[in-house]
């Protein structure tokens, strides 16, 4: 990096010594609106100060201190307003800040001060193009061309500039000049033909294109190009003769068949057009992109005529018999079935067929997994998602689906392995919902293994990506309450869960238990009562009633506590332990009423 910096500094010094201090008069003085007024030559002291500041400005720019560099350049121009190099550097700064007006003014000054500096002249021309001043840009590039008649890149830009300004005669002249440098070529002939077309000179366009086709007698593409031009200009019979001659020589030429199809369509010969379409669709030598183009064409025509999908289904079957391994056809089929909302089995069969041909098609694999998700066939989902980790190793979704399916299949170790591998591919573009759920499952597995600290770290990661992951907020809070650890944090998380779902019995029970652990028994009673109110057969379990018993007992209601223990036994609780509690609560109740 140091070597590069010294080279730039040396270049700046050369620019300064070569241009900055020696200018006392300016060529083109008569252009008072753009040229700078002549100034006196710098004194030796001024020259030294100028050189020192200019070099420092370049060094500051290298370091990225652009504001400092600009201040130094401004001071240089105060000393010598006729320094082209200083104007140019300031223009570059303004351009980098998208200050086009200021940049253009300095570029013009630099170009005016040194009219023979190609870099300055070209940058001004580029700025004119950027600001849409094509007339000035053309003038600048023509001036540049006069000094460098061998620059075909300049002529290429002039061709486009004249086209933009619809000056087609000058566009043709620029093409002719290009041809003098580069020699005759097919590309230049096509450019010339296009210029004639734009000019409205059909004779010139035809003559150019005819000459191009005649100069390539063995290349059918130029003949077909001529035929298409004739079709566009209503000379259909001549076009037909060209298409026929090409097909006679090459019966399976897909481009010629496509042109003939267009001819039949344009002339209302529907039966012949359909026959030609069938040849293209069912021809083994038809290029894949051409086949797909006509498949789409067939679908569009079918939609316009009523959308009978059975015809398209039949067509897909015929085409796939000809090219059974064409992935693009399989992709189009799956997309069509999905768009037309075919039965799920039909869509899944199309997607499965596509995956056999293109196993790395992540979109098709994910869609298949999503289609099978409602069935909760975790084994089938695992068989789909696991290969995805191999074919698309950076696609996080496959690690998530694999981990989740293994988790539901009671393969905690396999699930943890897949999910941990997936974390290596988390980045800024990852779906935060997937990342959050991934860490949530990791936390669940770690907790079931008794690895509490690892579980809590995973839950923290989960909530970092999705702070409102309600399930994790509830579970994390409950596990902390059971451990009696960080209860304030548990209370905050549990409160968020019930705020999101105030009638969720599971979340209400967690909050009640956290409050119980905090010693806030009266509040705990309010929420355990809400828990029991909103519990159903699917949400009720012995834990809810056991918690209710503990809370009521703390408030001195031993009779209700004993009753809740009886309910806990009915819901599958530990009868031996609960009966012991019942005896104790009844004893305390009897003692209380005495």
């Amino acid at each position: 990096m140091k070597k590069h910096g010294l080279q730039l500094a040396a270049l700046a010094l050369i620019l300064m010594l070569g241009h900055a201090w020696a200018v006392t008069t300016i060529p083109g003085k008569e252009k008072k609106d753009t040229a700078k007024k002549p100034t006196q030559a710098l004194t030796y002291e001024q020259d030294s100060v100028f050189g020192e500041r200019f070099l420092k400005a370049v060094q500051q720019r290298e370091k990225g201190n652009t504001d400092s560099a600009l201040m130094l350049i401004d001071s240089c121009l105060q000393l010598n307003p006729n320094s082209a190099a200083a104007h140019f550097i300031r223009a570059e700064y303004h351009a980098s800040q998208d200050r086009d007006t200021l940049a253009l003014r300095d570029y013009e000054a630099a170009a005016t001060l040194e009219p023979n500096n190609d870099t300055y002249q070209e940058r001004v021309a580029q700025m004119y193009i950027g600001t849409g001043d094509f007339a000035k840009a053309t003038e600048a590039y023509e001036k540049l061309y006069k000094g460098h008649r061998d620059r075909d890149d300049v002529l290429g830009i002039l061709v486009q500039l004249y086209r933009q300004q619809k000056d087609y005669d000058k566009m043709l002249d620029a093409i002719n000049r290009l041809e003098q440098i580069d020699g005759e070529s097919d590309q230049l002939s096509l450019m010339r033909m296009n210029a004639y077309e734009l000019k409205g000179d059909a004779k010139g366009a035809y003559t150019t294109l005819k000459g191009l086709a005649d100069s390539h007698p063995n290349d059918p593409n130029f003949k077909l190009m001529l035929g298409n031009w004739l079709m566009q200009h209503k000379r259909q019979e001549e076009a037909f003769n060209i298409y026929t001659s090409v097909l006679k020589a090459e019966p399976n030429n897909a481009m010629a068949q496509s042109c003939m199809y267009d001819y039949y369509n344009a002339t209302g010969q529907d039966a012949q057009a359909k026959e030609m379409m069938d040849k293209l669709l069912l021809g083994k030598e038809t290029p894949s992109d051409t086949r797909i183009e006509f498949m789409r064409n067939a679908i569009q025509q079918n939609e316009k005529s009523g959308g009978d999908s059975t015809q398209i289904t039949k067509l897909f079957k015929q085409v796939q018999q000809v090219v059974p391994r064409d992935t693009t056809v399989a992709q189009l089929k799956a997309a069509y079935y999905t768009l037309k909302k075919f039965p799920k089995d039909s869509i899944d069969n199309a997607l499965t067929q596509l995956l056999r041909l293109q196993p790395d098609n992540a979109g098709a694999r994910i869609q298949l997994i999503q289609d099978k998700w409602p069935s909760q066939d975790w084994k089938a989902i695992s068989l789909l998602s696991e290969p995805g980790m191999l074919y698309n190793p950076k696609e996080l979704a496959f690690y998530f689906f694999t981990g989740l399916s293994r988790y539901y299949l009671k393969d905690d170790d396999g699930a943890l392995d897949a999910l941990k591998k997936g974390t290596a591919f988390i980045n800024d573009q990852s779906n935060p919902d997937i990342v959050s759920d991934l860490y949530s499952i990791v936390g669940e597995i770690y907790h079931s293994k008794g690895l509490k600290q690892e579980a809590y770290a995973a839950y923290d990661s989960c909530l970092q990506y999705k702070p409102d992951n309600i399930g994790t907020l509830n579970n994390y809070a409950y596990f902390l309450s059971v451990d009696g650890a960080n209860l304030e944090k548990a209370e905050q998380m549990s409160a968020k869960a019930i705020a999101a779902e105030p009638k969720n019995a599971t979340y209400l029970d967690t909050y009640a238990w956290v409050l119980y652990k905090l010693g806030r028994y009266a509040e705990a009673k309010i929420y355990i009562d809400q828990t029991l109110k909103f519990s159903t057969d699917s949400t009720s379990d012995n834990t809810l009633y056991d918690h209710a018993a503990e809370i009521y007992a703390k408030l001195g209601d031993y009779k209700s506590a004993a009753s809740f223990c009886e309910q806990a036994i009915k819901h599958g609780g530990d009868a031996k332990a609960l009966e012991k509690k019942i005896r104790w609560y009844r004893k305390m109740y009897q003692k209380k009423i005495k």
Side-chain angles (χ1 to χ4, degrees), residues 312-504:
I312 301 301
T313 304
K314 181 181 178 182
L315 182 58
F316 272 118
K317 184 176 181 180
Q318 291 175 321
V319 170
Q320 287 189 310
Q321 286 175 345
V322 176
V323 283
R325 303 197 61 78
D326 191 315
T327 57
T328 54
V329 174
Q331 287 173 357
L332 185 60
K333 178 181 177 180
Y336 177 75
Y337 279 25
T338 302
L339 183 66
K340 296 293 287 185
K341 297 181 180 179
F342 274 36
K344 190 162 69 70
D345 288 347
S346 298
I347 296 173
D348 288 353
N349 286 337
L351 291 168
T352 301
Q353 184 183 55
L354 174 56
L355 276 183
R356 290 197 193 103
L357 299 174
Q358 197 177 37
D360 61 342
N361 190 313
R365 191 175 294 276
I366 289 173
Q367 186 177 340
L368 258 179
I369 292 171
Q370 290 173 334
D371 285 350
K372 291 188 178 297
W373 200 260
S375 69
Q376 296 189 354
D377 187 345
W378 306 120
K379 186 173 182 180
I381 292 168
S382 180
L383 289 173
L384 271 172
S385 60
E386 286 180 25
M389 296 190 295
L390 299 175
Y391 288 111
N392 307 95
K394 295 183 180 181
E395 180 57 64
L396 185 62
F398 294 125
Y399 298 94
F400 172 73
F401 288 132
T402 300
L404 191 58
S405 58
R406 288 175 178 176
Y407 176 72
Y408 285 128
L409 288 168
K410 309 299 182 184
D411 179 10
D412 284 356
D413 290 335
L416 191 59
D417 177 65
L419 295 169
K420 286 174 67 177
K421 286 178 179 176
T423 60
F425 299 101
I426 295 172
N427 55 48
D428 293 340
Q429 282 71 49
S430 298
N431 185 320
D433 291 338
I434 292 180
V435 176
S436 179
D437 288 343
L438 184 151
Y439 277 118
S440 180
I441 302 166
V442 169
E444 293 289 314
I445 296 172
Y446 273 136
H447 197 273
S448 69
K449 289 177 173 290
L451 301 171
K452 295 181 181 178
Q453 295 309 312
E454 290 86 347
Y456 295 158
Y459 286 142
D460 285 332
S461 296
C462 164
L463 295 174
Q464 181 180 352
Y465 282 92
K466 190 180 180 184
D468 60 346
N469 190 316
I470 306 304
T472 297
L473 287 169
N474 175 76
N475 293 348
Y476 195 179
Y478 184 70
F479 291 143
L480 286 174
S481 71
V482 171
D483 293 341
N486 211 342
L487 293 173
E488 290 75 13
K489 180 178 180 178
E491 192 272 337
Q492 291 172 3
M493 291 190 295
S494 184
K496 288 181 181 178
I498 61 170
E501 296 186 26
K503 296 183 179 181
N504 186 305

Side-chain angles (χ1 to χ4, degrees), residues 504-568:
N504 186 305
T506 301
Y507 298 168
L508 288 165
D509 173 62
T510 296
Y511 193 57
W513 195 242
V514 172
L515 293 172
Y516 169 83
K517 287 285 189 166
L518 285 166
R520 294 158 58 179
Y521 305 124
E523 292 176 77
K525 179 181 179 298
I526 294 172
Y527 285 96
I528 200 66
D529 287 345
Q530 290 291 306
T531 299
L532 297 172
K533 176 182 177 182
F534 292 116
S535 64
T536 62
D537 290 339
S538 60
T539 59
S540 294
D541 63 28
N542 63 86
T543 305
L544 305 184
Y545 297 103
D546 195 13
H547 287 168
E550 293 285 343
I551 292 168
Y552 270 76
K554 283 292 184 181
L555 292 171
D557 188 348
Y558 298 110
K559 183 177 181 181
S560 296
S563 177
F564 285 131
C565 284
E566 291 173 350
Q567 290 294 319

